[in-house]
């Protein structure tokens, strides 16, 4: 690019660095907004619940293979993982010609999937701009034989389809090694272009972990952008991924065990990579994907599900098929996802719950065919019905010992997740759930009812799991609250699974001042569960107890998958 144009860009960008609007002589900080103003700005995003992530760039040309060898890992990281020199990587641009790209076709895939917004990579870590930028020549117009601007067509197609468009932009830029802060004016000039040319609803930053980017830079960049477009929504990676950065949190490839207490969105791949990799066929099933969406919505979050199109401009058929099936489920049950809030229950052994329109939406994964039991619900149920039933025929509802039961049909109307709607009086009211002693004197502590404390461990459901897993942080721990009607001495049995090579973690089980030590042995896989006795506890009084399981050591990948603890009267049943 000519130096004159370069200095022009810098001048333009620097004029905008102030970032404070002056309205009526008063400097206003656009980041200071009332709750009402923020709620109005976030409304469409919170109601959307489900969006498409698109990782598309010249990394789709090698598609995970370099010099005849499979590089592995994320497709968009090939330049870094294979240590490809910049001049060599730039050659991929000369081979990028997505002649099969069709913006309307992509938007239709998202629309038919029930997705309400789309976030596409305008510039990933490789520094290659996938849009018509004047800021440098390393872009799809100037550096590829394709020479067209896909973002222009996408913006038009999204507008026609009523889907909001967002851009992903990486702060880290491998095409400018060592430039660090010096390229900030150019970054801002590009962001200004993106806002002015395509009017995006959302900007999704990434690559913020570079040492030279500070949280204060993120705040200033957010202010700069909100000055350009006051209703713009920006993720927390504009800063340093903290809850106070940007407008929403961005847990990646994971679902927080109990959600987060601020706006959040889980982003996830459909296979194992964001950018296209020709040999990555580890596709999640439609059932898993729908249940992830439900799990996320049940915790009050959004789900940004990724597709990685090919260098020809095709979204892989495996992705399209799954998205079509997700759309079919949402066509029937979307009311239980869109514009809903997190359910009021700590855990539900058979599925999840969302709340909206004066209803509880019970998403049942495990359909037993007997009455569906809802523990602790205190509301009056005015009506119960299957969301899939066009006639919304009322289902019988009974209540006994604090448990509401709904007489559901023997067969589930949907194998992925069947939704039972409960019309209730007022806001949901749920008794503090407490595990109680069974008639035989035993106390069963299940993963579904554990309180998970920490950052990554979480309750995992599906398949043979139904356990506390992903326990890769030794500082994470779990507790259960339970009521003891009859005191006594109890043997403690633990049911766990642990993959080969991850055994050996030591943990302490504590109830009050009593402690039992345990050591995790390998069971063969993360879903091969075994039960073993770990000792006895003397619980000398009836009343409330809290039992905790805290790891002491973690030599392997994860502590264990913990399914249940069973406290069994040492003198036999009922003693
Ligand atoms: O390094 C990137 C990765 O390539 C991908 O874009 C994900 C998606 O959010 N974000 C970063 C990894 O956290």
């Amino acid at each position: 690019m000519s130096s004159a144009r370069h200095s022009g860009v810098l001048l333009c960008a620097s004029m905008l660095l102030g970032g404070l609007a002056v309205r009526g002589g008063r400097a206003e900080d656009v980041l200071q907004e009332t709750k009402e103003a923020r709620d109005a700005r976030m409304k469409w995003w919170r109601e959307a619940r489900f969006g498409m992530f698109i990782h598309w760039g010249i990394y789709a040309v090698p598609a995970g293979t370099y010099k005849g060898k499979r590089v592995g890992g994320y497709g968009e990281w090939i330049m870094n993982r294979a240590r490809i020199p910049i001049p060599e990587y730039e050659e991929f641009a000369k081979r990028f010609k997505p002649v099969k790209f069709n913006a309307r076709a992509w938007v239709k895939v998202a629309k038919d999937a029930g997705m309400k917004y789309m976030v596409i990579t305008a510039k990933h870590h490789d520094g290659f701009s996938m849009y018509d930028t004047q800021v440098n020549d390393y872009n799809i117009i100037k550096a590829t034989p394709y020479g067209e601007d896909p973002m222009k067509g996408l913006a038009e197609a999204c507008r026609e389809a009523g889907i909001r468009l967002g851009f992903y932009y990486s702060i880290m830029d491998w095409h400018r090694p060592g430039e660090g802060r010096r390229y900030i004016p150019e970054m801002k000039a590009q962001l200004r272009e993106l806002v002015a040319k395509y009017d995006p609803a959302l900007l999704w930053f990434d690559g913020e972990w570079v040492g030279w980017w500070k949280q204060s830079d993120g705040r200033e960049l957010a202010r700069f952008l909100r000055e350009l477009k006051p209703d713009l929504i920006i993720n927390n990676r504009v800063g340093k991924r903290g809850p106070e950065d940007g407008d929403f949190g961005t847990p990646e490839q994971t679902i927080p065990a109990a959600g987060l207490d601020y706006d959040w969105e889980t982003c996830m791949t459909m296979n194992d990579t964001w950018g296209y990799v020709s040999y990555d066929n580890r596709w999640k099933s439609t059932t898993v994907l729908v249940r992830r969406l439900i799990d996320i919505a049940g915790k009050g979050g959004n789900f940004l599900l990724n597709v990685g199109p090919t260098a020809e401009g095709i979204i892989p058929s495996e992705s399209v098929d799954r998205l079509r099936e997700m759309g079919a489920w949402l066509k029937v049950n979307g009311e239980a996802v869109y514009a809903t809030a997190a359910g009021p229950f700590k855990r539900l052994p058979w599925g999840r719950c969302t709340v909206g329109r004066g209803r509880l939406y019970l998403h049942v994964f495990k359909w037993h065919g007997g009455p569906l039991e809802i523990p602790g619900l205190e509301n009056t149920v005015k009506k119960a019905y299957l969301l899939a039933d066009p006639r919304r025929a009322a289902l019988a509802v009974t209540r006994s010992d604090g448990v509401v039961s709904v007489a559901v049909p023997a067969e589930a109307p949907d194998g992925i997740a069947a939704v039972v709607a409960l019309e209730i009086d007022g806001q949901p009211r749920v008794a503090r759930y407490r595990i109680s002693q069974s008639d035989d004197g035993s106390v069963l502590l299940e993963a579904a009812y554990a309180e998970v404390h920490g950052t990554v461990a979480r309750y995992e459901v599906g398949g043979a799991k139904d356990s506390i897993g992903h326990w890769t942080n030794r500082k994470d721990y779990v507790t259960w609250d339970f009521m003891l009607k009859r005191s006594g001495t109890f043997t403690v049995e633990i049911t766990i699974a642990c993959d080969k090579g991850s055994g050996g973690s030591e943990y302490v089980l504590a109830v009050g001042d009593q402690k039992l030590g345990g050591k995790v042995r390998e069971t063969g896989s993360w879903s091969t569960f075994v039960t073993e006795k770990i000792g006895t506890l003397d619980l000398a009084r009836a009343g409330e107890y809290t039992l905790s399981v805290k790891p002491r050591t973690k030599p392997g990948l994860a502590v264990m998958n913990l399914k249940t603890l069973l406290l069994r009267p040492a003198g036999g049943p009922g003693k």
Side-chain angles (χ1 to χ4, degrees):
M1 179 169 63
S2 72
S3 58
R5 183 151 46 163
H6 192 276
S7 54
V9 163
L10 290 180
L11 176 62
C12 159
S14 62
M15 282 162 61
L16 295 164
L17 291 185
L20 283 182
V22 179
R23 290 190 182 88
R26 218 167 19 89
E28 268 180 28
D29 182 349
V30 286
L31 298 184
Q32 303 303 326
E33 63 186 340
T34 63
K35 180 183 179 308
E36 292 68 28
R38 173 177 165 76
D39 288 348
R41 184 166 60 88
M42 295 297 291
K43 185 172 186 293
W44 74 262
W45 184 88
R46 290 169 176 165
E47 293 180 352
R49 284 285 175 258
F50 189 29
M52 177 184 274
F53 213 172
I54 304 176
H55 277 70
W56 196 38
I58 58 174
Y59 39 76
V61 172
T65 299
Y66 177 62
K67 290 187 175 168
K69 286 203 175 61
R70 290 184 174 187
V71 175
Y74 290 153
E76 69 286 1
W77 270 76
I78 193 165
M79 178 178 168
N80 173 280
R81 290 176 65 92
R83 291 179 168 62
I84 303 174
I86 289 178
E88 208 171 312
Y89 186 82
E90 290 172 344
E91 290 302 304
F92 291 131
K94 295 173 186 163
R95 293 164 50 193
F96 189 74
K97 195 172 180 183
V99 292
K100 293 181 181 171
F101 168 70
N102 179 319
R104 282 192 175 78
W106 283 18
V107 170
K108 187 175 187 310
V109 169
K111 183 97 177 169
D112 291 352
M115 293 165 148
K116 302 296 183 185
Y117 62 106
M118 175 186 280
V119 178
I120 185 167
T121 47
K123 188 199 79 158
H124 205 269
H125 307 333
D126 61 3
F128 187 80
S129 296
M130 290 292 286
Y131 74 99
D132 180 8
T133 176
Q134 305 308 313
V135 172
N136 62 48
D137 292 346
Y138 194 45
N139 65 69
I140 193 167
I141 306 292
K142 303 268 180 40
T144 75
Y146 182 60
E148 293 179 35
D149 180 358
M151 306 307 174
K152 186 168 178 290
L154 275 177
E156 283 161 15
C158 281
R159 260 193 302 277
E160 287 166 10
I163 285 193
R164 312 268 179 153
L165 175 64
F167 290 119
Y168 166 111
Y169 192 93
S170 175
I171 293 162
M172 177 170 73
D173 189 322
W174 296 329
H175 199 250
R176 304 169 169 290
E179 271 197 43
R181 302 186 64 78
R182 290 194 301 280
Y183 107 94
I184 291 180
E186 201 169 307
M187 178 201 318
K188 291 189 171 184
Q190 283 206 305
L191 292 167
R192 180 178 175 73
E193 281 183 325
L194 285 169
V195 171
K197 291 169 75 80
Y198 311 104
D199 190 29
L202 181 149
L203 288 180
W204 210 99
F205 287 92
D206 206 4
E208 83 295 339
W209 55 79
V210 287
W212 55 266
W213 185 255
K214 307 297 176 211
Q215 186 177 41
S216 55
D217 295 318
R219 192 160 173 74
E220 196 233 311
L221 182 59
R223 182 177 293 115
F224 163 73
L225 291 164
R226 291 279 310 288
E227 274 302 306
L228 294 176
K229 191 176 183 336
D231 64 349
L232 189 66
I233 293 177
I234 303 169
N235 75 340
N236 69 347
R237 300 186 190 185
V238 68
K240 297 301 262 188
R241 254 185 241 204
E244 66 289 350
D245 295 327
D247 295 311
F248 61 90
T250 53
E252 179 171 318
Q253 304 282 39
T254 182
I255 301 168
L260 296 173
D261 54 9
Y262 51 92
D263 288 304
W264 60 281
E265 168 199 79
T266 278
C267 59
M268 198 170 279
T269 55
M270 220 181 276
N271 48 9
D272 283 345
T273 178
W274 304 95
Y276 179 64
V277 167
S278 61
Y279 48 82
D280 180 337
N281 295 305
R282 284 166 38 91
W283 300 99
K284 299 172 181 75
S285 70
T286 304
T287 296
V288 164
L289 293 169
V290 170
R291 290 185 178 181
R292 295 273 165 89
L293 171 63
I294 293 168
D295 186 20
I296 290 165
K299 293 166 180 170
N302 281 17
F303 190 22
L304 189 65
L305 182 56
N306 184 73
V307 297
T310 67
E312 289 185 305
I314 297 289
I315 296 176
S317 61
E318 296 84 350
S319 299
V320 173
D321 293 345
R322 284 157 179 75
L323 289 172
R324 185 184 311 112
E325 291 164 355
M326 291 183 83
W329 186 87
L330 281 163
K331 205 169 179 67
V332 174
N333 302 288
E335 172 189 332
V337 172
Y338 303 126
T340 61
F345 302 98
K346 181 193 295 188
R347 285 282 189 295
L348 289 164
W350 37 257
R352 298 293 185 273
C353 175
T354 53
V355 180
R357 307 168 192 87
R359 296 176 178 87
L360 293 181
Y361 296 104
L362 310 178
H363 302 254
V364 184
F365 301 164
K366 293 182 183 172
W367 192 276
H368 298 298
L372 178 67
E373 295 191 340
I374 302 102
L377 179 62
E378 295 181 339
N379 293 81
T380 300
V381 177
K382 297 189 285 189
K383 182 180 178 183
Y385 58 90
L386 291 173
L387 201 53
D389 175 3
R391 294 176 302 108
R392 301 201 162 184
L395 302 172
V397 178
T398 55
R399 182 189 293 272
S400 160
D401 282 344
V403 177
V404 169
S405 297
V406 180
V408 295
E411 291 302 314
D414 187 302
I416 293 179
V419 180
V420 176
L422 298 189
E423 290 177 7
I424 57 173
D425 62 332
Q427 290 303 311
R429 297 186 310 280
V430 177
R432 182 160 179 259
Y433 183 70
R434 188 173 301 294
I435 299 157
S436 55
Q437 201 168 9
S438 304
D439 294 344
D440 67 3
S442 65
V443 180
L444 177 62
L445 306 179
E446 296 171 285
Y449 292 93
E451 191 76 37
V452 184
H453 307 264
T455 56
V456 288
R458 59 179 184 252
Y459 172 57
E460 297 183 308
V461 67
K465 287 196 173 164
D466 186 14
S467 55
I468 302 299
H470 204 266
W471 205 337
T472 54
N473 184 344
R474 185 180 64 75
K475 295 197 175 70
D476 290 2
Y477 66 97
V478 289
T479 57
W480 284 270
D481 294 333
F482 63 93
M483 279 296 277
L484 208 51
K485 289 175 279 190
R486 294 194 303 281
S487 61
T489 301
F490 296 83
T491 57
V492 180
E493 298 172 16
I494 190 167
T495 301
I496 61 164
C498 180
D499 200 3
K500 295 181 288 299
S502 276
S505 296
E506 294 175 7
Y507 59 86
V508 175
L509 180 149
V511 180
D513 57 1
Q514 298 201 50
K515 292 185 185 346
L516 295 174
K519 187 163 185 169
V520 175
R521 63 186 177 82
E522 294 167 4
T523 65
S525 81
W526 292 118
S527 52
T528 307
F529 288 90
V530 297
T531 299
E532 54 194 22
K533 281 198 179 69
I534 54 174
T536 58
L537 292 169
D538 290 322
L539 304 181
R541 60 171 178 78
E544 298 191 7
Y545 285 89
T546 295
L547 181 148
S548 65
V549 176
K550 294 186 177 180
R552 272 182 354 93
T553 62
K554 181 181 75 77
L557 172 68
V559 176
M560 61 175 130
N561 280 1
L562 172 51
K563 188 184 274 283
T564 61
L565 281 164
L566 178 63
L567 278 58
R568 204 192 285 277
K575 292 282 184 296

